[in-house]
Amino acid sequence: MSKIFNCCVKKEVSKMESDKTDFIETPELKQNGVCPFSCDKVLDKHVKPNLKIKVPQPLKLKNHLVGEENYDNLHSHLEDVTSFSTKCSEAMCQSSIMDTPSRGDARTTDEIYRDAKSFLHEYFSSIRRQNSEAHISRLQEVERELRASGTYNLKTCELVFGAKLAWRNSTRCIGRIQWKKLQVFHCQEVSTARGMFEALCDHIKYATNRGNIRSAITIFRQRTDAAGAHDYRVWNPQLISYAGYREPDGTVLGDPARVEFTEVCMKLGWKPPRTAWDILPIVVSADGKEPEYFELPREIIMEVHMEHPNYPWFRDLGLRWYALPAVSNMRLDCGGLQFTATAFNGWYMGTEIACRNFCDANRLDILESVAMKMGLDTNSYVSLWKDKALVEVNIAVLHSFHRDNVSIVDHHSASEQFMKHLDNESRSRGGCPSDWIWIVPPMSSSLTAVFHQEMALYYIKPSYDYQEPAWKTHQWKTEGEKPRHRKFHFKQIARAVKFTSKLFSQALSKRIKATILYATETGKSEQYAKELGTIFGHVFNAQVFCMSDYDFFSIEHETLLLIVTSTFGNGEPPANGVDFANHLYQMLYSERKNQDEQNDSAGISKLPTPKTLMRTTSIMTPSIEYKRQLSRMESSKVGSFVEFKRQLTRLESNKSSIAGTSSVENIGPLSNVCYSVFALGSSAYPKFCNFGKTIDRVLEDLGGERLLDVSCGDEMCGLEQQFRTWASDIFHVACETFCLDENDMIKDAKKEFSKIPLTEETVRFGRPDNVPTIKTALENAFKKQLISCTVKENKNLGDVTADRTTVFLDLEANVKLKYEPGDHVGVMACNRKEIVDEVLNRLKGIDNYDKPLQLQLMKETLTPTGAIKTWEKHERIPAVTVRDIFTRFLDITTPPSTKLLKYLATACTDQNEAEYLRILIEDSTKYDDWRHHYYPHLAEVLAAVPTCRPHAALLAALLPPLQPRFYSISSTPLVDPTRIHVTVAVVVYKTQNGEGATHYGVCSTYLQNLTPNSELFVFIRRAPSFYMPQDISVPLILVGPGSGIAPFRGFWHHRRMQAKSSTQKPGPILLFFGARNRGMDLYKDEKQKLLQRGILSKSLLALSREKGESKKHVQALLEDEGEHITRMLTSEGGHFYVCGDCKMAEEVQHKLKAIIKVHANYTDEEVEDFLLSLMDENRYHEDIFGITLRTSIVHNTSRETAKRTRLESGQSIT
Ligand SMILES: Cc1cc2nc3c(=O)[nH]c(=O)nc-3n(C[C@H](O)[C@H](O)[C@H](O)COP(=O)(O)OP(=O)(O)OC[C@H]3O[C@@H](n4cnc5c(N)ncnc54)[C@H](O)[C@@H]3O)c2cc1C
Ligand SMILES: Cc1cc2nc3c(=O)[nH]c(=O)nc-3n(C[C@H](O)[C@H](O)[C@H](O)COP(=O)(O)O)c2cc1C
């Protein structure tokens, strides 16, 4: 990291807009004769200007108000810090001298590479990838690019990081607490002056945001040649500013600071209206070409007219100012590259307008006229008329901005925020380079906290640097020739862009990235996320990722993040969302720990760790956290509590001083990210949509800006419609948030909400290139490596008295398997032959179901020569026979979605049949009732509409994939690593509350019907949170009614094998099993043997429907053993395992809490804490099957509840 070290003095001076060379004598210089920051701590004795010397040690920085000391380590800790240069010497401090703007240096490729290397090191460190393969190959790529072209291009994510860092490093900016919250518009593709102007208009619109100002930067192409002959430049010092005209009498009409630039504009041909408030045109030059100027459309410029809350005459002064301060003449130096055309904005601090623009003697200079109006004596300094008038002008500015709801910050709040920023930076970075002279506000300086704070000034890259005005450096190509006058109104521009090229306009609006992340178990979230990707892709730069494929370290650099996720297990993430969730929880944990340390309250209360967060719903919302902080303080020192309350009140008031912008407390790592979550779930589960809701809150707690409240799609009731409503709402809000106007692309996107994207014309079966084996085809379709197994044994586990069938399968794999007891096996099932045949018989457009065919989709690609149509392979459905597609790849038993019904209606020739389907499509209540009462599979739906003949290829494309089913492994590899055992409860039920057709569970009946030597395909799914402890002496409590016993059979065999080869005594195992009747006491004989061998210490059985016996569930058995269980968990380090249906698991947890409360004599809070610590220590384990047991009861009650809730909340079900 290259840098220049400069010394700094603490002294209030005015910030001059021209060079000033006066020697400034500070109090410290007077006292000690040396500059406090250039003295012996950091410099050798005989320092000469620009001498390179080593920076050795931390620099002590004192706050003179509170007497606290801090150390700046940043300057000495940064890598390759070998030198700094300074303008100051031991004898003279020059730090108040304005920087001389430069043209930037002509850099050799070696120099560029050196800076690039150091920047990329910082970038890859920020995403925890330093020295990774990606880092090394990126460096090689940069080196190659540099060698070939003398420059290289930063990737957008790198530039976003660099631009934020440059803001963070801006020594003069007091508003840096917001540095992470910066929207970066990377305009690498813009190559014309007109393109630059349009991008700058976009910037103004986005940043102004109807007064709720957002920080943003637009960055055009970097310098590409050492001489700067192809530079891009924005000639305006600020994007919006008022012209200044020198009158013949020497006075100035308008803003005196802009006289020179106004003359440049006029020389270029600009014809000004010549009033005091003329907005200057935008002047830009692209690629070193001649500058062009463009009139800014007035409708995108927001101005505030000044009035005073108490002085009516103030309004008559006719003062106004623009809302958006956007500096456009600075150069961004990042990664060795010099971006000569940038426009950056934050929001105003009141004093910038009131003190500097209105009252500086060389600006509007209104002070005396204000003082006169106030009736002050302006003849004597002693009356302090200047100070009094200045305060009133400041009040007027703040008042007028607040009145119009335009963001602004007063200098006191800004100063406090900066102190907080210094503190943050000191903790996270070891220092914060700051220019005291610029940081201290131009009025009431010693009243602000920053005045009393020593600061260290040094310069770090990336940086924003001053540069010479473009009109002084531009190399004119055509001497004397004036560029053409461009005057466009915004609407005209939009029209012109539309006509020139649709592709070009897409490039323009697609600067804003939208990242869509999904996590799914059964594919629904993925399907929705992809649909969302198509919709957003019309307008945004949209990318869809599965959470497990997403580089989560990039999350801080996202702009718009949309999450579509289901919930699995018991309120947990789907498997492919686990790592993402962990990462977010880890981030949150670090943030909270940091906050706790800052508030000096570490250890007062227990923070939920990432592991706990993963397992519970105990995420604290900010308001809960706020209350908790208060109660913590209350219970500690009274003094600090008062101080804390005072701080919070102040922070609240700061919120209003930055009208409408996010609060200063909320500058978390994701403060730049706008987000919304669609959570899929089922209200049949106690933790309804828990994972989506949790992610939503975590994103908020990390500082993200929620665009829409989390939307919960309930599989029990109207899921599809809920998704469509949310998709449409979030699209609308996102367009509004990013100020994207109604245009063709947005209209196209909106069409997506209603149309079926696939039609009989755009889907077909084609000839396959090659035909894979079924195993390869399944592997490709489900992206899983499969294991081929043969059935060695398949037997019924119950006896004749059993009223349900549970089967045991012994499977032999053709390879040695790597698994642990607790893991699951995923089974690729087949649909029942009779249902497949009924469906195939109704298809049209196919004559041979047993010939391999490739499903193909038509793709349309827009090219400069027009749209090209091509046929592409369907990504999920491989080239197999149509019979195999409907047998192994498609889900034909889940009731069809409304989208599918919509198509089936169009495939009916009888209008009554079509109408029957249309009613279901249009009335979501009817659809939900129909779906849950009949739970019809596809063949049954087709039977109800006999004239419906769906097109085979289109139907295949519309159906969801047949998902693998999971089974807990009932064996251990210690017995035989080629064998897997499963315990399968066979699902058979009658629809219509037991009165209708018999339905057979796809996979359980497929498994039940497999005969010895049949082949099937499976894969292993790891479930590390359900593993046994390594130490065999640890006591285990196992609770698993019905097929929930499955993993425990693996456990006891594992313990048995471990005990054989260990000298250690195995710990006790308590087994709680439940069944309807004795005939379903699964593995009865085996359990008996293991009890005899001492592997099982106790095996308890609860019977719920045994004739002549009272009904008992496992929960009651637990109560019987309450004392024993409590001892095992509280003092013997025992592990608790629950397996089976979700409701049961929930009830067991409640019961366990009650037991511990009684036997350990805990309070409610202590029990909660104890359970959390069990989870945290990985001693409480759940393996949830879903709600397959008791399905109909659960379904019906939860559907009723869902309906009721929606009616009560006033939501229409239709
Ligand atoms: C991690 C995990 C581990 C599992 N381990 C095991 C295990 O070890 N042993 C085991 O047997 N199962 C286990 N399961 C459940 C298993 O995966 C399957 O869900 C189960 O076998 C049913 O699948 P299926 O294809 O036979 O039924 P499906 O065709 O999927 O049919 C089940 C669906 O039918 C409907 N349904 C069921 N009963 C009724 C009813 N009475 N009224 C109306 N609708 C009804 C419901 O919508 C239900 O979801 C596990 C599940 C998970 C997630
Ligand atoms: C084993 C299992 C456990 C589930 N657990 C929950 C749960 O705890 N909370 C919930 O709201 N939904 C739960 N669901 C319902 C799913 O979230 C729902 O089916 C969702 O639509 C699946 O979406 P996906 O296909 O994207 O995974 C569970 C479903 C299954 C099969």
Side-chain angles (χ1 to χ4, degrees):
M1 170 122 1
S2 53
K3 64 173 54 63
I4 319 155
F5 196 91
N6 200 346
C7 91
C8 157
V9 288
K10 186 157 97 80
K11 168 93 173 101
E12 185 183 12
V13 291
S14 69
K15 294 144 182 109
M16 293 136 293
E17 292 216 344
S18 60
D19 284 5
K20 184 171 172 197
T21 48
D22 297 350
F23 176 73
I24 293 157
E25 200 178 42
T26 69
E28 287 78 2
L29 280 173
K30 262 195 196 142
Q31 276 169 23
N32 310 328
V34 287
C35 168
F37 300 121
S38 67
C39 62
D40 49 0
K41 289 210 173 49
V42 285
L43 303 186
D44 278 355
K45 278 284 169 228
H46 308 290
V47 176
K48 297 223 172 70
N50 298 320
L51 188 70
K52 306 246 173 191
I53 64 159
K54 194 145 177 76
V55 180
Q57 37 172 300
L59 182 63
K60 186 162 78 183
L61 300 170
K62 189 168 175 183
N63 184 306
H64 292 270
L65 200 62
V66 287
E68 273 173 13
E69 285 174 352
N70 220 326
Y71 287 88
D72 187 292
N73 291 304
L74 176 63
H75 64 275
S76 53
H77 276 186
L78 291 165
E79 267 183 37
D80 40 294
V81 175
T82 50
S83 64
F84 65 83
S85 65
T86 171
K87 286 183 281 186
C88 301
S89 70
E90 207 174 329
M92 184 168 65
C93 173
Q94 299 189 12
S95 71
S96 75
I97 296 173
M98 292 282 297
D99 280 341
T100 317
S102 76
R103 293 208 58 228
D105 38 359
R107 293 180 185 169
T108 63
T109 47
D110 282 349
E111 284 166 336
I112 298 177
Y113 184 68
R114 192 199 54 212
D115 275 9
K117 210 169 135 192
S118 135
F119 170 69
L120 289 172
H121 181 270
E122 200 164 0
Y123 170 72
F124 279 95
S125 304
S126 84
I127 57 166
R128 329 282 197 280
R129 297 273 196 288
Q130 64 269 41
N131 305 325
S132 64
E133 235 171 75
H135 183 178
I136 293 159
S137 87
R138 178 71 182 125
L139 283 176
Q140 288 164 346
E141 187 183 22
V142 168
E143 204 177 355
R144 270 195 310 275
E145 247 184 288
L146 269 172
R147 223 178 288 133
S149 67
T151 185
Y152 73 99
N153 288 319
L154 280 171
K155 294 187 189 308
T156 298
C157 50
E158 294 161 356
L159 190 64
V160 169
F161 172 72
K164 288 182 187 170
L165 217 52
W167 186 8
R168 190 182 194 185
N169 295 337
S170 298
T171 57
R172 294 177 166 183
C173 176
I174 194 172
R176 275 180 282 164
I177 194 164
Q178 295 269 343
W179 71 272
K180 287 181 193 159
K181 205 166 166 56
L182 177 68
Q183 170 64 40
V184 180
F185 296 108
H186 184 191
C187 298
Q188 182 74 12
E189 82 288 354
V190 173
S191 58
T192 61
R194 159 101 163 266
M196 290 177 76
F197 168 65
E198 285 162 3
L200 294 173
C201 287
D202 281 349
H203 179 132
I204 292 173
K205 277 176 63 191
Y206 170 85
T208 304
N209 191 28
R210 298 175 198 91
N212 186 2
I213 307 286
R214 296 183 281 207
S215 308
I217 183 166
T218 295
I219 305 171
F220 296 100
R221 208 166 150 60
Q222 73 271 22
R223 174 168 291 167
T224 48
D225 60 309
H230 294 276
D231 277 2
Y232 287 72
R233 288 296 301 265
V234 181
W235 290 39
N236 308 52
Q238 291 197 11
L239 288 186
I240 303 171
S241 56
Y242 297 115
Y245 310 99
R246 187 160 310 278
E247 303 286 20
D249 63 358
T251 58
V252 172
L253 173 68
D255 187 352
R258 296 288 169 259
V259 168
E260 192 181 356
F261 179 61
T262 306
E263 280 164 8
V264 170
C265 295
M266 283 158 63
K267 277 197 192 127
L268 291 173
W270 182 57
K271 299 272 180 317
R274 260 194 120 82
T275 74
W277 306 104
D278 297 343
I279 299 284
L280 283 159
I282 293 285
V283 181
V284 279
S285 49
D287 197 20
K289 296 199 180 102
E290 305 302 40
E292 295 184 35
Y293 70 92
F294 302 85
E295 202 77 66
L296 272 170
R298 288 299 295 207
E299 58 268 34
I300 64 168
I301 297 167
M302 189 164 188
E303 288 177 286
V304 176
H305 292 262
M306 302 300 161
E307 64 177 16
H308 191 283
N310 306 325
Y311 299 130
W313 49 261
F314 200 95
R315 172 180 270 276
D316 303 333
L317 296 175
L319 292 169
R320 57 167 101 160
W321 207 257
Y322 43 87
L324 189 75
V327 178
S328 47
N329 57 357
M330 293 189 91
R331 183 180 53 234
L332 168 64
D333 194 329
C334 179
L337 300 177
Q338 301 179 75
F339 295 87
T340 48
T342 64
F344 169 85
N345 78 278
W347 51 81
Y348 267 120
M349 178 161 87
T351 51
E352 291 175 74
I353 301 171
C355 299
R356 310 300 316 280
N357 301 346
F358 285 170
C359 295
D360 269 6
N362 61 353
R363 298 293 296 285
L364 301 195
D365 196 16
I366 63 162
L367 208 53
E368 194 164 353
S369 27
V370 171
M372 304 282 266
K373 290 267 190 195
M374 288 170 69
L376 302 174
D377 173 9
T378 56
N379 291 320
S380 156
Y381 285 140
V382 181
S383 69
L384 296 187
W385 64 269
K386 287 196 177 192
D387 307 63
K388 285 182 172 171
L390 188 66
V391 168
E392 298 306 332
V393 177
N394 272 274
I395 289 174
V397 168
L398 291 172
H399 164 80
S400 308
F401 269 65
H402 282 166
R403 178 204 60 211
D404 290 358
N405 277 328
V406 178
S407 309
I408 194 159
V409 64
D410 64 87
H411 50 291
H412 296 286
S413 305
S415 162
E416 295 224 349
Q417 288 161 18
F418 188 71
M419 293 302 290
K420 171 107 179 80
H421 175 65
L422 282 185
D423 194 37
N424 291 347
E425 290 291 83
S426 172
R427 284 166 199 280
S428 63
R429 208 185 187 195
C432 175
S434 305
D435 189 339
W436 187 96
I437 291 172
W438 274 70
I439 297 294
V440 172
M443 72 183 285
S444 315
S445 31
S446 63
L447 300 182
T448 61
V450 286
F451 179 87
H452 305 276
Q453 176 64 50
E454 291 179 350
M455 297 173 195
L457 176 59
Y458 46 94
Y459 300 105
I460 308 177
K461 287 182 187 174
S463 59
Y464 294 114
D465 302 322
Y466 292 102
Q467 51 183 347
E468 288 254 45
W471 56 90
K472 292 197 177 155
T473 58
H474 182 72
Q475 297 161 25
W476 293 92
K477 314 278 177 305
T478 47
E479 205 59 48
E481 197 187 309
K482 297 263 167 69
R484 281 158 298 137
H485 178 190
R486 299 290 158 96
K487 182 167 176 166
F488 292 110
H489 285 290
F490 206 60
K491 282 190 186 121
Q492 285 172 305
I493 293 160
R495 227 172 292 136
V497 171
K498 210 181 322 177
F499 284 122
T500 46
S501 149
K502 194 169 179 182
L503 282 179
F504 176 62
S505 72
Q506 277 176 353
L508 271 183
S509 87
K510 285 192 176 180
R511 278 194 209 109
I512 297 164
K513 201 172 146 212
T515 298
I516 299 162
L517 299 182
Y518 67 84
T520 186
E521 271 306 331
T522 61
K524 270 183 236 145
S525 304
E526 176 177 1
Q527 185 197 323
Y528 285 152
K530 287 186 173 160
E531 271 188 49
L532 202 63
T534 314
I535 295 162
F536 274 71
H538 283 274
V539 180
F540 292 82
N541 174 6
Q543 286 176 310
V544 183
F545 298 101
C546 176
M547 284 182 190
S548 58
D549 299 333
Y550 176 68
D551 178 1
F552 26 67
F553 293 106
S554 334
I555 193 165
E556 294 177 33
H557 307 306
E558 296 296 352
T559 303
L560 174 60
L561 184 67
L562 302 174
I563 307 268
V564 182
T565 182
S566 63
T567 293
F568 233 64
N570 189 9
E572 284 159 40
N576 49 24
V578 171
D579 288 348
F580 178 78
N582 255 327
H583 176 75
L584 280 192
Y585 299 164
Q586 194 61 55
M587 273 174 94
L588 185 65
Y589 182 65
S590 314
E591 277 293 299
R592 291 222 163 122
K593 230 171 127 212
N594 210 5
Q595 272 171 25
D596 261 22
E597 276 163 21
Q598 283 188 28
N599 295 330
D600 232 5
S601 52
I604 292 177
S605 168
K606 200 165 176 289
L607 280 177
T609 64
K611 240 192 236 163
T612 320
L613 290 175
M614 183 69 98
R615 304 294 304 278
T616 64
T617 46
S618 67
I619 305 275
M620 291 161 296
T621 62
S623 56
I624 295 174
E625 176 69 355
Y626 171 95
K627 282 184 203 141
R628 219 179 82 178
Q629 302 264 26
L630 281 179
S631 69
R632 274 187 208 168
M633 291 301 218
E634 221 155 350
S635 57
S636 56
K637 293 175 285 183
V638 175
S640 57
F641 174 56
V642 172
E643 172 56 20
F644 181 68
K645 260 187 162 170
R646 200 168 70 82
Q647 274 176 19
L648 285 173
T649 324
R650 217 164 41 213
L651 289 173
E652 284 300 313
S653 86
N654 291 350
K655 244 194 259 179
S656 62
S657 67
I658 312 170
T661 56
S662 70
S663 73
V664 282
E665 305 120 281
N666 219 8
I667 310 294
L670 302 189
S671 55
N672 212 36
V673 184
C674 295
Y675 75 93
S676 183
V677 178
F678 185 74
L680 288 88
S682 159
S683 54
Y685 290 84
K687 291 181 182 167
F688 174 50
C689 288
N690 184 58
F691 181 56
K693 290 180 189 167
T694 304
I695 288 285
D696 177 70
R697 269 176 294 165
V698 172
L699 290 174
E700 185 193 33
D701 285 2
L702 287 169
E705 188 180 328
R706 184 189 289 114
L707 292 185
L708 261 190
D709 282 348
V710 59
S711 173
C712 294
D714 186 356
E715 161 178 274
M716 293 283 119
C717 197
L719 171 63
E720 183 112 351
Q721 202 186 327
Q722 274 155 331
F723 172 72
R724 304 232 160 267
T725 308
W726 173 79
S728 158
D729 290 350
I730 187 61
F731 181 74
H732 181 74
V733 173
C735 287
E736 233 187 49
T737 304
F738 293 96
C739 297
L740 302 172
D741 285 335
E742 191 74 13
N743 62 29
D744 278 0
M745 287 176 293
I746 293 184
K747 284 185 198 132
D748 285 351
K750 285 188 171 164
K751 282 187 206 144
E752 295 281 346
F753 294 116
S754 54
K755 86 173 188 207
I756 295 179
L758 304 169
T759 65
E760 293 186 3
E761 285 69 47
T762 59
V763 187
R764 71 175 190 191
F765 277 119
R767 202 183 303 199
D769 300 338
N770 62 345
V771 180
T773 61
I774 279 292
K775 179 166 174 266
T776 312
L778 286 166
E779 284 180 330
N780 293 343
F782 291 92
K783 303 198 170 51
K784 295 250 168 0
Q785 231 190 329
L786 298 180
I787 304 155
S788 166
C789 292
T790 43
V791 176
K792 298 313 283 179
E793 189 184 0
N794 186 348
K795 65 175 183 196
N796 193 339
L797 282 174
D799 68 17
V800 281
T801 63
D803 62 354
R804 284 216 170 150
T805 311
T806 302
V807 293
F808 165 87
L809 276 96
D810 174 8
L811 308 174
E812 185 179 49
N814 56 2
V815 286
K816 271 194 181 171
L817 301 169
K818 279 199 185 127
Y819 74 89
E820 297 245 348
D823 281 340
H824 305 131
V825 63
V827 176
M828 312 306 292
C830 287
N831 288 312
R832 285 174 86 77
K833 186 173 178 318
E834 66 263 25
I835 303 179
V836 174
D837 286 345
E838 279 170 46
V839 172
L840 292 184
N841 285 340
R842 295 293 287 280
L843 301 183
K844 71 173 184 192
I846 196 87
D847 44 20
N848 186 348
Y849 301 124
D850 296 309
K851 191 168 97 187
L853 292 171
Q854 176 65 60
L855 189 65
Q856 297 173 337
L857 304 179
M858 186 190 280
K859 279 264 150 68
E860 194 174 312
T861 324
L862 216 54
T863 70
T865 51
I868 295 179
K869 291 179 177 164
T870 47
W871 286 100
E872 288 186 12
K873 288 181 192 169
H874 191 285
E875 61 172 11
R876 256 190 310 106
I877 300 185
V880 292
T881 66
V882 176
R883 190 181 301 281
D884 277 336
I885 290 176
F886 281 84
T887 303
R888 290 181 175 271
F889 293 87
L890 298 176
D891 180 352
I892 54 172
T893 55
T894 300
S897 64
T898 49
K899 191 169 155 189
L900 183 55
L901 292 184
K902 214 179 230 176
Y903 168 60
L904 294 182
T906 66
C908 294
T909 49
D910 182 304
Q911 281 319 300
N912 291 332
E913 290 175 18
E915 190 52 29
Y916 162 72
L917 295 178
R918 247 178 244 121
I919 289 170
L920 297 174
I921 298 158
E922 283 158 16
D923 185 334
S924 69
T925 317
K926 288 210 170 83
Y927 172 77
D928 283 329
D929 288 345
W930 170 82
R931 184 180 195 274
H932 290 280
H933 190 65
Y934 297 98
Y935 210 73
H937 54 62
L938 184 58
E940 287 170 332
V941 175
L942 291 176
V945 285
T947 66
C948 179
R949 297 288 313 274
H951 184 266
L954 181 53
L955 182 65
L958 288 173
L959 280 164
L962 173 59
Q963 295 294 341
R965 307 295 201 260
F966 294 107
Y967 295 91
S968 303
I969 298 178
S970 297
S971 50
T972 165
L974 295 186
V975 174
D976 183 346
T978 63
R979 296 297 249 273
I980 307 177
H981 297 165
V982 285
T983 309
V984 180
V986 179
V987 174
V988 181
Y989 61 94
K990 280 188 192 299
T991 61
Q992 303 169 48
N993 295 327
E995 314 269 295
T998 302
H999 277 195
Y1000 300 90
V1002 176
C1003 190
S1004 54
T1005 49
Y1006 162 74
L1007 288 172
Q1008 182 192 19
N1009 295 332
L1010 287 176
T1011 49
N1013 295 325
S1014 319
E1015 187 184 31
L1016 75 160
F1017 303 110
V1018 304
F1019 60 93
I1020 304 288
R1021 181 169 87 155
R1022 304 250 158 227
S1025 63
F1026 205 75
Y1027 285 173
M1028 297 167 75
Q1030 295 284 340
D1031 180 353
I1032 73 162
S1033 67
V1034 171
L1036 309 181
I1037 301 156
L1038 314 178
V1039 186
S1043 51
I1045 200 171
F1048 301 141
R1049 180 177 185 267
F1051 279 27
W1052 69 61
H1053 281 298
H1054 200 70
R1055 259 288 159 90
R1056 178 174 63 82
M1057 297 303 287
Q1058 284 177 319
K1060 264 192 193 171
S1061 58
S1062 170
T1063 49
Q1064 234 183 335
K1065 189 170 179 292
I1069 301 182
L1070 283 191
L1071 175 69
F1072 295 87
F1073 179 64
R1076 287 186 164 196
N1077 53 29
R1078 261 181 234 289
M1080 291 168 78
D1081 184 5
L1082 308 181
Y1083 301 116
K1084 189 171 148 191
D1085 298 341
E1086 234 177 87
K1087 287 187 288 191
Q1088 206 51 48
K1089 276 191 197 141
L1090 284 147
L1091 279 168
Q1092 283 159 13
R1093 287 198 202 170
I1095 297 296
L1096 288 180
S1097 46
K1098 231 175 196 180
S1099 170
L1100 297 113
L1101 175 67
L1103 297 173
S1104 61
R1105 295 197 192 172
E1106 181 67 31
K1107 275 192 195 126
E1109 288 189 26
S1110 59
K1111 192 178 179 132
K1112 198 161 192 183
H1113 289 297
V1114 277
Q1115 295 90 306
L1117 286 183
L1118 287 174
E1119 204 153 20
D1120 297 346
E1121 293 291 320
E1123 199 185 331
H1124 192 184
I1125 291 172
T1126 307
R1127 197 176 55 248
M1128 285 167 99
L1129 292 178
T1130 55
S1131 48
E1132 293 169 12
H1135 282 228
F1136 194 92
Y1137 294 83
V1138 196
C1139 177
D1141 105 78
C1142 169
K1143 270 246 158 18
M1144 174 277 300
E1146 197 69 13
E1147 286 161 16
V1148 164
Q1149 196 181 104
H1150 276 122
K1151 181 57 72 186
L1152 183 66
K1153 284 182 190 166
I1155 288 170
I1156 290 174
K1157 193 177 166 200
V1158 171
H1159 294 281
N1161 203 12
Y1162 280 168
T1163 62
D1164 285 342
E1165 207 176 309
E1166 283 167 341
V1167 172
E1168 288 298 330
D1169 263 8
F1170 179 69
L1171 250 284
L1172 280 186
S1173 65
L1174 275 188
M1175 289 170 187
D1176 215 18
E1177 290 158 22
N1178 219 6
R1179 293 203 287 132
Y1180 189 92
H1181 314 262
E1182 282 178 340
D1183 188 17
I1184 305 292
F1185 289 2
I1187 48 162
T1188 47
L1189 310 168
R1190 300 190 280 153
T1191 307
S1192 58
I1193 310 159
V1194 174
H1195 271 197
N1196 289 340
T1197 44
S1198 58
R1199 257 176 52 66
E1200 284 313 311
T1201 319
K1203 264 204 234 171
R1204 238 192 346 268
T1205 316
R1206 292 182 66 189
L1207 285 173
E1208 278 162 13
S1209 69
Q1211 264 181 287
S1212 158
I1213 292 182
T1214 52

